[in-house]
Amino acid sequence: ASVSLSDGSLQLQPLVIVSLSNEMDLLIGATLNFGQQPESQGSKTAEIKSEFGTFPTMFFAEWKYYF
C-alpha cells in the first residue's frame, strides 16, 4: 500500500498467484486508487485534489509458461 501523507489518498495493489502446474502460473491483480478526483474549472485546467485520485482503477491477469 502507498499512502500520500499530504492529502490522505491511497493506492492498493493486491496480487494473487495461482500455480497451475510446475511450468505454469496465473497472476490476477489490481491497482486500486482512493482519493479526491480532479475538479474541472470550465475551460481551465483541472485542479488536482489528491495524488492517487487522478489514477484509474485497473485490473489485470497474466499467464506465465516456463519451458
Side-chain angles (χ1 to χ4, degrees):
S2 297
V3 178
S4 174
L5 298 177
S6 63
D7 59 34
S9 60
L10 171 70
Q11 183 180 72
L12 298 175
Q13 297 178 329
L15 177 67
V16 175
I17 302 173
V18 180
S19 178
L20 302 174
S21 71
N22 286 339
E23 300 86 17
M24 205 176 327
D25 291 332
L26 177 63
L27 289 74
I28 301 170
T31 301
L32 308 172
N33 298 290
F34 303 95
Q36 288 185 323
Q37 299 289 318
E39 290 184 7
S40 179
Q41 302 292 328
S43 63
K44 295 182 182 178
T45 305
E47 182 181 346
I48 296 175
K49 298 286 187 174
S50 67
E51 181 175 359
F52 296 116
T54 59
F55 297 112
T57 296
M58 296 183 291
F59 298 94
F60 63 89
E62 181 179 350
W63 175 57
K64 292 185 176 184
Y65 180 72
Y66 307 97
F67 56 94

